Amino acid sequence: MVGRIVGTGSYVPEHVVTNDDLSKIMDTNDEWIRDRSGIAERRISMDEGTSQMAAKAAGKALEDAGMSADELDIIILATSTQDNLFPAGACEVQEMLGAVNAAAFDLSAACSGFLFGISIVNAFIQAGIYQNGLVIGAETLSKVMDWSDRSTCVLFADGAGAAVLKADETGIRHTLMGADGKKGSVLSCVGRTNGNFLNGRTPEFGYTYMDGREVFKFAVKKIPECVDEILEESGESIDEVRWFVLHQANRRIIEAAARRLKQPIEKFPMNIETYGNTSSASIPILLDEINHKGMLKRGDKIIIAGFGAGLTWGAALVEW
Ligand code: UT7
């Protein structure tokens, strides 16, 4: 048995922030942001936290799967912007959904988090331990942006996406996960500084820092490598792949990956223009979008791939 994606759902906050809106609070403009990233607008949460958005996306995914919350064995919330250090956001989601039989925990792998999540749930299903799992990617990145750092804050946004996995004969065929901690400093958001009564320091939160060029170089190399590796492991031909669902970080990264893989750009659905980079949520939001547009047919082979802070990367070959 393997995990098959039997339901998807997504949720984004109502508040739309356009590039022109940002140009009113910092030295930037619509042309620069569109040209360099492909982003036109993004959603920013006014009041909703990560767990609330995660639960909304998850509720829709369960409905889509025709599954009730108490059938879930495991809930993984992939996020870097959990509302609290503890309890885990996944436990809050479990409570909000009424998923009383599910183990629940958060997973920190930044933009690769959703991929890591489905790899883990798939492994539990393959091992015969669990039958039904829920993987959510949800972020309120707006709260960890330095809104005076125009090179980074214009890219990131808030949102949530989810997928329900069920044990079946076909589904997730191969997954890979990777990490390179040596490159950690190119994309980071330092947490609480060590403050306590002995050293007299007050705990402080940091903001997101990114060396955009380094991350860009890494991504355009790593994404095609991941795709090649997953195809080689599965013995599948690239031309048999219907869709490449990639992490929505930058339109130029996706276009470069398509060129390197010698595949038509039409096989790479994108929604970065509307939602910006929602980190762990970007892949499940896109997956939900193409699912509900009727672009996914039973038996379609799709490759999902992403990269992010850590640095981390992951990919999966999925039979729909
Ligand atoms: O999921 C996490 C993964 N993150 C990523 O995938 C990000 C990967 N990196 C990128 O997407 C790109 O590197 C960026 C979009 C972040 C930047 O694009 P770039 O082509 O590498 O631009 P740059 O950083 O080299 O900056 C070019 C110029 C600079 O001005 P000078 O030094 O040439 O005069 C920047 O100061 O653009 C300037 N600039 C801006 N101008 C207007 C930087 N940010 C802005 C801005 N508006 N928001």
Side-chain angles (χ1 to χ4, degrees), residues 115-131:
L115 272 158
F116 281 31
I118 60 171
S119 301
I120 293 168
V121 171
N122 190 43
F124 273 115
I125 292 174
Q126 284 176 315
I129 297 168
Y130 293 137
Q131 305 299 307

Side-chain angles (χ1 to χ4, degrees), residues 42-107:
R42 74 283 291 136
R43 302 297 179 96
I44 301 286
S45 168
M46 300 285 278
D47 307 304
E48 284 173 309
T50 297
S51 300
Q52 270 175 296
M53 292 196 297
K56 286 184 179 171
K60 291 183 186 181
L62 281 170
E63 203 183 315
D64 190 41
M67 190 183 283
S68 65
D70 61 3
E71 292 177 74
L72 288 172
D73 302 310
I74 179 169
I75 298 173
I76 297 181
L77 170 59
T79 185
S80 302
T81 49
Q82 65 273 31
D83 298 321
N84 305 301
L85 290 181
F86 49 84
C91 295
E92 295 176 320
V93 171
Q94 188 233 32
E95 199 267 328
M96 285 187 251
L97 295 175
V100 288
N101 298 310
F105 60 91
D106 289 359
L107 186 162

Side-chain angles (χ1 to χ4, degrees), residues 26-29 32-33 36-37 111 150-151 154-156 187 210 212-213 215-216 219 247 249-250 252-253 277 279 307-309:
M26 68 188 78
D27 181 15
T28 190
N29 56 74
W32 190 96
I33 302 172
R36 302 288 170 133
S37 70
C111 309
R150 66 177 185 170
S151 65
V154 300
L155 305 171
F156 292 96
L187 178 49
M210 181 170 72
R213 284 185 188 181
V215 179
F216 194 98
H247 169 46
N250 187 316
R252 291 186 296 143
I253 292 176
N277 180 346
S279 188
F307 63 93

Side-chain angles (χ1 to χ4, degrees), residues 8 16 40 52-53 95 170 178 180 204 209 216 219 233 276 284 301:
T8 60
V16 177
Q52 270 175 296
M53 292 196 297
E95 199 267 328
T170 58
D180 181 1
E204 285 172 2
Y209 164 80
F216 194 98
E233 271 179 30
K301 290 165 192 105

Side-chain angles (χ1 to χ4, degrees), residues 37-314:
S37 70
I39 299 168
E41 58 186 45
R42 74 283 291 136
R43 302 297 179 96
I44 301 286
S45 168
M46 300 285 278
D47 307 304
E48 284 173 309
T50 297
S51 300
Q52 270 175 296
M53 292 196 297
K56 286 184 179 171
K60 291 183 186 181
L62 281 170
E63 203 183 315
D64 190 41
M67 190 183 283
S68 65
D70 61 3
E71 292 177 74
L72 288 172
D73 302 310
I74 179 169
I75 298 173
I76 297 181
L77 170 59
T79 185
S80 302
T81 49
Q82 65 273 31
D83 298 321
N84 305 301
L85 290 181
F86 49 84
C91 295
E92 295 176 320
V93 171
Q94 188 233 32
E95 199 267 328
M96 285 187 251
L97 295 175
V100 288
N101 298 310
F105 60 91
D106 289 359
L107 186 162
S108 172
C111 309
S112 313
F114 177 78
L115 272 158
F116 281 31
I118 60 171
S119 301
I120 293 168
V121 171
N122 190 43
F124 273 115
I125 292 174
Q126 284 176 315
I129 297 168
Y130 293 137
Q131 305 299 307
N132 301 321
L134 170 66
V135 181
I136 314 160
E139 306 283 359
T140 37
L141 289 155
S142 58
K143 71 186 175 196
V144 293
M145 287 300 124
D146 173 354
W147 289 99
S148 65
D149 175 7
R150 66 177 185 170
S151 65
T152 301
C153 71
V154 300
L155 305 171
F156 292 96
D158 304 338
V164 174
L165 274 69
K166 191 177 174 57
D168 204 337
E169 300 289 327
T170 58
I172 296 174
R173 288 195 11 205
H174 283 274
T175 61
L176 71 84
M177 303 191 285
D180 181 1
K182 286 200 296 295
K183 296 203 179 84
S185 62
V186 301
L187 178 49
S188 66
C189 180
V190 288
R192 289 174 184 233
T193 50
N194 288 337
N196 59 40
F197 76 97
L198 287 175
N199 62 29
R201 284 196 298 266
T202 310
E204 285 172 2
F205 281 109
Y207 289 111
T208 302
Y209 164 80
M210 181 170 72
D211 180 338
R213 284 185 188 181
E214 280 305 311
V215 179
F216 194 98
K217 278 193 278 179
F218 166 78
V220 295
K221 191 164 165 281
K222 191 47 95 178
I223 293 270
E225 274 176 17
C226 282
V227 173
D228 286 343
E229 194 178 327
I230 210 113
L231 286 170
E232 200 178 309
E233 271 179 30
S234 62
E236 198 62 64
S237 133
I238 194 161
D239 296 324
E240 291 299 313
V241 177
R242 180 76 185 88
W243 303 111
F244 295 87
V245 179
L246 304 189
H247 169 46
Q248 303 288 293
N250 187 316
R251 171 179 284 278
R252 291 186 296 143
I253 292 176
I254 297 168
E255 288 168 347
R259 278 195 302 274
R260 285 194 187 201
L261 292 165
K262 299 189 174 56
Q263 289 291 298
I265 193 67
E266 291 72 29
K267 286 172 91 172
F268 294 73
M270 283 186 242
N271 63 8
I272 186 161
E273 187 176 3
T274 329
Y275 298 124
N277 180 346
T278 55
S279 188
S280 67
S282 93
I283 289 173
I285 291 175
L286 182 60
L287 205 54
D288 184 47
E289 196 172 298
I290 64 172
N291 187 21
H292 286 103
K293 279 185 180 161
M295 291 161 66
L296 294 165
K297 303 271 176 287
R298 187 80 197 252
D300 275 353
K301 290 165 192 105
I302 62 172
I303 284 189
I304 307 176
F307 63 93
L311 293 174
T312 55
W313 58 90

